[in-house]
Amino acid sequence: MGMNLGIDFSSLLQWNDFTVDLAAFAVKFAILVGGLLQLPPLLVWIERRVPALMQRRRGPNRVGIFKWRLYGLLQSLADTVKLIFKEEVVPDGAHKVFYHLAPVFCVFPAFLVACAIPYGPDLAIYGYKIPLSVVRMDVGFLFIFAISSLAVYGVALAGWASNNKYSLMGSLRASAQMISYEIPLGMSLIPIVLIYGTLDLGKIVEAQNSFFQWGVFTAPVSLLIFVICMFAETNRAPFDLAEAEGELVAGFHTEYNSAKFAAFFLGEYVSMFVLSCLASTVFFGGWQVPFVSYDALVTMLGSPNFVAPIGILMLLLKAAFFMWVYIWVRWTLPRFRYDQLMSLGWKFMLPIGLANVVVTAIVLAVLRFK
Amino acid sequence: MEALYFVPEMLFYVISGLILLSSIMVVAARNPVTSAIFLVVDLFFVAALYAQLDAHFTAAIQVLVYAGAIVVLFVFVIMILNLKPDALRGIRFSLGEALVLLITLAGFVIVGSELARTAPDLTTPGNLGSAAIEMAGGNTYVVAMRMFTAFLWPFEMASVLILLAIVACVMIAKKDKRVTKS
Amino acid sequence: MIPVENYFVLSSLVFLCGLAGVMFRRNLIMVLMSIELMLNAVNIIFVAASRHLAQVDGQIMVLFVITVAACEAAVGLAMVIALFRRYGTVNTEFLRLLRG
């Protein structure tokens, strides 16, 4: 036999629950990160072409390889290359450490939150059950809110560290807005937790097995609040006061350029995608196929492994719908005034959210009373 | 299988080291914003410690409330007041202060050694291990069942406390018109 | 399995950090942050003990401590803002009106 090195490497490579979990985690995480990095260029392209269609213009359509222009799809690639290779200018008097750290604080929570979304039904490979979310935990719901509440630091630090009054004002606006709308956002999901009785996102999707058990039917008011807060939470129009171009130059990332500016873009688009996924998971049945139950699909196709791609496709379609809503709303509604934004959040969304929780609780108590 | 048993223990020491390092940085950093960011890091790793102890709900609440709300308040106030970094030189060690630190340290040593001596059974995992919790319906379920039965009154009182704090904050931080006029 | 004493040592060290901060820092906001650190040290012990005594009460206590910490931070910071408006400083060495 071979040399004895004193360490039994074969024991490290035995397949047991722990090593399978670890390997599956690594593979899923790599795929997720790789996929999410492709999002911003695609979304930027859509965000330029869609308003062009709406406003009867052409939008970017020049960049291409030789004569293939692909409807300007390569414009995003060109922009990315430009952003990454641009010279980086750090403003004088900036707090160096936090200036460089702020984009990380923006991107990191967005990617972490994406780990908790269940993208499809469980896979069964060689007798091991592998859930199609990077980490599956019994408090997935709270995890998402906890981690996404950390994104505020990226915004606050970016504005403070760049030593610019427009940046600071933009960051104070943005972070105040994010904190204010986090409360109704969380409030809108409490009825869902009450109805399905779990904080595990995977179980919530499994509970929406039949079409009329989808969250959109069981908690319609929640959907309304959630969608409105979704826009505010990601600082998107009509709540994009943080980067109101006419007033604040560009908000908290005024002083950022090149790759760090691209990092803010990445964070914004990933968190848009995650919130869209969350909305479809909670209100539109996640990876469930409408009108066909999971068990019926498994018997039809023969194996849960064949259902998984369909599930992923369904979730991505539903998420794509919400992304479309994001862009659609942006080019339809004008921007709010800041006091209007705050009073909408605190005086309308919060009371409606509270009333929604109370009414849902009472109805559930009456329905489940024996 | 046996080869991987050291992983949780290693994780504990790594996390504790990071907690200690960040707590020292919280206290020692000159710039208040640096302190606040290290406080966030500290709270995050403490939450990781909770998660390792199978207290998932508490871990999530820790990050959500502590790191996501309380420290944001600190950061806001520091930014609004535009505080300059402290001068750390002017610190004087008075005899009384040194005595307080020593007595606290001595107290910890006494209590800790007493704990280590009189509680021989503490190293065995209790019924709150991950398997037992899975059986009982998950950590959140277990916490909720206890919270809304035995701790119902404290829970309600906590909400009253929060209401009081809100009113107090508004009253204290409101601009006092009489002062600004004179 | 990690013995509960390790958590105790960790907690007491974090607590000492917080105590030192309260005693030696002259910035009111820093003092408040050090208090948060001390509360947090206590929480570590609560959760570790709850795990090892197989009682969930410790975790519930942590939730109450977090509530109290939130209230304390909010009221404390409101007072800091009021003081800053009045005296233009948050340095504890200059805020000695009660010392006569």
Side-chain angles (χ1 to χ4, degrees):
Chain A
M1 303 299 258
M3 273 195 303
N4 188 1
L5 289 171
I7 309 164
D8 189 8
F9 283 108
S10 64
S11 72
L12 280 169
L13 288 173
Q14 272 165 12
W15 293 112
N16 55 46
D17 286 352
F18 185 80
T19 43
V20 167
D21 277 355
L22 205 65
F25 170 81
V27 172
K28 285 185 290 189
F29 189 70
I31 292 175
L32 182 71
V33 170
L36 287 180
L37 285 174
Q38 312 311 316
L39 260 179
L42 198 64
L43 282 171
V44 168
W45 177 68
I46 294 173
E47 203 156 21
R48 284 173 179 164
R49 293 292 294 192
V50 165
L53 283 173
M54 283 176 177
Q55 299 168 344
R56 294 201 162 199
R57 336 180 243 113
R58 291 196 185 274
N61 62 356
R62 293 287 123 182
V63 179
I65 300 171
F66 305 120
K67 60 176 189 176
W68 299 289
R69 284 185 179 152
L70 302 170
Y71 301 100
L73 189 56
L74 293 175
Q75 178 74 50
S76 310
L77 184 70
D79 281 354
T80 315
V81 170
K82 183 204 78 173
L83 273 176
I84 288 172
F85 288 105
K86 221 174 173 181
E87 187 196 352
E88 201 179 316
V89 183
V90 180
D92 247 9
H95 192 294
K96 291 288 177 315
V97 179
F98 288 141
Y99 179 84
H100 295 297
L101 214 59
V104 181
F105 266 96
C106 255
V107 173
F108 170 72
F111 276 85
L112 213 54
V113 166
C115 292
I117 305 274
Y119 292 98
D122 291 351
L123 287 178
I125 296 172
Y126 296 117
Y128 290 108
K129 232 171 94 175
I130 296 171
L132 269 185
S133 58
V134 177
V135 276
R136 178 163 187 181
M137 51 198 125
D138 52 353
V139 288
F141 236 94
L142 287 173
F143 175 83
I144 285 182
F145 280 103
I147 301 297
S148 59
S149 68
L150 292 181
V152 179
Y153 291 103
V155 175
L157 278 181
W160 178 79
S162 36
N163 195 25
N164 175 332
K165 62 184 169 193
Y166 297 113
S167 297
L168 186 62
M169 274 158 70
S171 84
L172 282 180
R173 275 188 182 187
S175 36
Q177 174 182 339
M178 281 162 90
I179 295 170
S180 307
Y181 275 85
E182 215 162 79
I183 299 163
L185 191 76
M187 210 61 92
S188 74
L189 290 178
I190 293 178
I192 296 287
V193 177
L194 286 174
I195 289 164
Y196 299 115
T198 176
L199 287 168
D200 187 339
L201 283 169
K203 280 186 190 148
I204 287 176
V205 177
E206 280 158 25
Q208 302 180 43
N209 202 7
S210 78
F211 186 61
F212 289 102
Q213 278 173 340
W214 282 13
V216 61
F217 298 112
T218 52
V221 182
S222 292
L223 175 64
L224 197 68
I225 302 172
F226 187 91
V227 168
I228 293 173
C229 294
M230 208 163 82
F231 293 109
E233 193 60 20
T234 43
N235 291 326
R236 293 275 303 184
F239 304 119
D240 61 342
L241 294 136
E243 44 194 284
E245 296 95 338
E247 309 159 35
L248 283 172
V249 193
F252 60 88
H253 50 58
T254 304
E255 295 287 358
Y256 280 89
N257 47 29
S258 73
K260 295 213 174 59
F261 181 70
F264 280 116
F265 249 74
L266 179 65
E268 183 183 324
Y269 281 116
V270 171
S271 60
M272 268 168 69
F273 173 73
V274 168
L275 275 178
S276 302
C277 279
L278 186 63
S280 19
T281 300
V282 168
F283 294 107
F284 287 92
W287 44 259
Q288 301 274 8
V289 183
F291 301 115
V292 190
S293 77
Y294 175 63
D295 295 329
L297 271 178
V298 171
T299 46
M300 210 189 301
L301 296 171
S303 158
N305 292 351
F306 294 128
V307 186
I310 300 177
I312 295 174
L313 194 69
M314 283 319 290
L315 181 71
L316 289 181
L317 274 178
K318 288 165 185 172
F321 167 72
F322 278 99
M323 306 290 283
W324 162 261
V325 171
Y326 261 119
I327 292 164
W328 180 23
V329 166
R330 176 171 175 188
W331 297 98
T332 310
L333 296 178
R335 187 180 298 138
F336 272 55
R337 220 170 55 217
Y338 197 66
D339 59 318
Q340 290 173 333
L341 169 89
M342 280 299 170
S343 67
L344 178 74
W346 289 102
K347 292 182 190 159
F348 290 95
M349 307 311 279
L350 186 57
I352 293 172
L354 279 171
N356 188 23
V357 171
V358 172
V359 170
T360 313
I362 291 172
V363 169
L364 281 177
V366 170
L367 284 180
R368 289 173 189 172
F369 185 75
K370 290 188 189 96
Chain B
M1 187 83 185
E2 282 79 19
L4 292 165
Y5 264 142
F6 62 90
V7 169
E9 254 179 70
M10 213 170 64
L11 211 61
F12 168 78
Y13 289 110
V14 170
I15 295 174
S16 330
L18 287 167
I19 290 174
L20 268 180
L21 199 73
S22 49
S23 354
I24 291 170
M25 283 308 292
V26 170
V27 176
R30 284 182 63 218
N31 193 329
V33 176
T34 318
S35 289
I37 295 304
F38 272 106
L39 189 56
V40 176
V41 174
D42 184 283
L43 296 168
F44 190 80
F45 284 118
V46 170
L49 206 63
Y50 293 170
Q52 209 205 1
L53 284 165
D54 293 313
H56 299 128
F57 182 72
T58 319
I61 291 295
Q62 164 103 357
V63 179
L64 183 62
V65 178
Y66 243 131
I70 298 179
V71 187
V72 173
L73 265 184
F74 280 101
V75 173
F76 261 43
V77 171
I78 295 167
M79 284 180 185
I80 289 172
L81 298 187
N82 197 15
L83 294 175
K84 297 283 170 293
D86 290 6
L88 285 178
R89 279 191 215 97
I91 289 174
R92 290 178 307 260
F93 247 107
S94 76
L95 192 66
E97 283 172 336
L99 216 61
V100 168
L101 269 187
L102 269 180
I103 289 172
T104 319
L105 192 62
F108 281 137
V109 169
I110 291 167
V111 177
S113 59
E114 193 64 16
L115 193 78
R117 200 172 54 80
T118 56
D121 215 24
L122 285 182
T123 45
T124 56
N127 291 332
L128 280 180
S130 35
I133 281 180
E134 205 67 45
M135 289 274 289
N139 176 255
T140 316
Y141 183 80
V142 176
V143 170
M145 284 313 277
R146 190 86 177 129
M147 178 80 116
F148 293 121
T149 52
F151 288 88
L152 185 60
W153 278 108
F155 180 75
E156 297 294 340
M157 282 303 113
S159 65
V160 175
L161 178 70
I162 291 176
L163 187 64
L164 278 175
I166 294 172
V167 175
C169 282
V170 173
M171 286 314 290
I172 293 169
K174 205 169 64 175
K175 272 210 175 91
D176 195 344
K177 293 223 170 60
R178 284 166 304 168
V179 173
T180 44
K181 256 179 209 163
S182 61
Chain C
M1 206 53 226
I2 305 125
V4 76
E5 291 85 1
N6 291 10
Y7 291 97
F8 194 89
V9 171
L10 171 69
S11 159
S12 46
L13 287 176
V14 174
F15 190 90
L16 277 179
C17 277
L19 190 67
V22 169
M23 277 164 42
F24 299 126
R25 293 307 294 256
R26 295 285 174 256
N27 186 333
L28 254 187
I29 291 178
M30 295 297 308
V31 171
L32 280 174
M33 275 199 260
S34 306
I35 292 175
E36 299 294 333
L37 212 56
M38 286 156 79
L39 288 171
N40 209 42
V42 174
N43 285 351
I44 296 175
I45 274 293
F46 266 131
V47 174
S50 135
R51 172 76 159 81
H52 286 271
L53 299 174
Q55 272 192 337
V56 84
D57 293 14
Q59 294 175 29
I60 291 172
M61 278 304 151
V62 171
L63 299 183
F64 287 127
V65 170
I66 290 177
T67 315
V68 172
C71 294
E72 173 249 312
V75 176
L77 286 171
M79 285 165 71
V80 168
I81 288 181
L83 281 171
F84 189 80
R85 276 216 192 100
R86 191 117 185 209
Y87 302 108
T89 177
V90 289
N91 192 323
T92 46
E93 286 188 329
F94 296 110
L95 303 171
R96 51 198 315 166
L97 219 60
L98 282 178
R99 268 206 196 161

